[in-house]
């Protein structure tokens, strides 16, 4: 995976291809939406959320967090459960079954991220 802006761009393009709308607080129903936050940290860290059936915190179908400076790390999660976490010290958490499930559900996204 590349830099934070690259990850955000790939994630956004994947969501658009899937027909997922960007989160909009003015809409009453944001249950099939995505959100990308990187500007708040000047792109030092990017958080990419995909809410499929819920708008609730920690109920996202997919969460990808990448930080590039001051403690680099990558987190991949679903519904509040971490499937994979790695930082400068190595792998911190690995749930093979959950990671495989996430990667199969979003194969095109992960193919693009590792290309």
């Amino acid at each position: 995976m590349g830099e934070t802006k690259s990850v955000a761009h790939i994630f956004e393009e994947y969501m658009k291809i899937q027909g997922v709308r960007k989160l909009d607080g003015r809409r009453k129903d944001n249950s099939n939406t995505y959100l990308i936050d990187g500007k708040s940290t000047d792109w030092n860290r990017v958080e990419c959320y995909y809410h499929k059936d819920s708008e609730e915190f920690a109920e996202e179908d997919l969460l990808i967090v990448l930080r590039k400076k001051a403690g680099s790390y990558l987190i991949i999660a679903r519904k509040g459960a971490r499937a994979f976490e790695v930082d400068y010290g190595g792998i911190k958490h690995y749930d093979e079954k959950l990671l495989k499930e996430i990667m199969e559900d979003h194969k095109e996204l992960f193919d693009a991220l590792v290309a």
Side-chain angles (χ1 to χ4, degrees):
M1 291 192 190
E3 292 292 322
T4 55
K5 285 184 181 180
S6 298
V7 170
H9 176 72
I10 292 168
F11 185 85
E12 183 171 37
E13 290 302 310
Y14 171 74
M15 288 292 132
K16 287 179 180 177
I17 290 169
Q18 299 302 312
V20 178
R21 301 174 303 174
K22 190 173 186 175
L23 180 76
D24 184 344
R26 298 171 293 180
R27 279 196 303 260
K28 289 184 180 182
D29 180 17
N30 277 303
S31 60
N32 190 35
T33 57
Y34 72 92
L35 172 68
I36 300 170
D37 179 27
K39 290 181 183 175
S40 65
T41 62
D42 197 26
W43 295 101
N44 179 47
R45 179 185 72 237
V46 67
E47 298 177 9
C48 303
Y49 298 89
Y50 168 47
H51 290 272
K52 186 174 183 179
D53 301 320
S54 173
E55 302 173 43
E56 300 297 318
F57 176 74
E59 286 295 317
E60 58 276 337
D61 185 66
L62 175 62
L63 167 64
I64 298 174
V65 180
L66 176 65
R67 183 173 175 165
K68 63 182 181 179
K69 296 178 186 169
S72 299
Y73 59 82
L74 168 68
I75 298 168
I76 300 171
R78 172 178 277 168
K79 298 197 183 288
R82 291 188 178 183
F84 184 75
E85 180 178 1
V86 64
D87 67 12
Y88 59 89
I91 295 174
K92 299 297 181 190
H93 183 81
Y94 177 57
D95 181 333
E96 183 177 6
K97 182 180 175 186
L98 182 56
L99 183 60
K100 183 178 179 183
E101 179 183 299
I102 292 170
M103 291 182 78
E104 286 175 357
D105 289 350
H106 302 285
K107 183 180 182 339
E108 297 87 3
L109 172 63
F110 287 96
D111 286 349
L113 288 171
V114 296

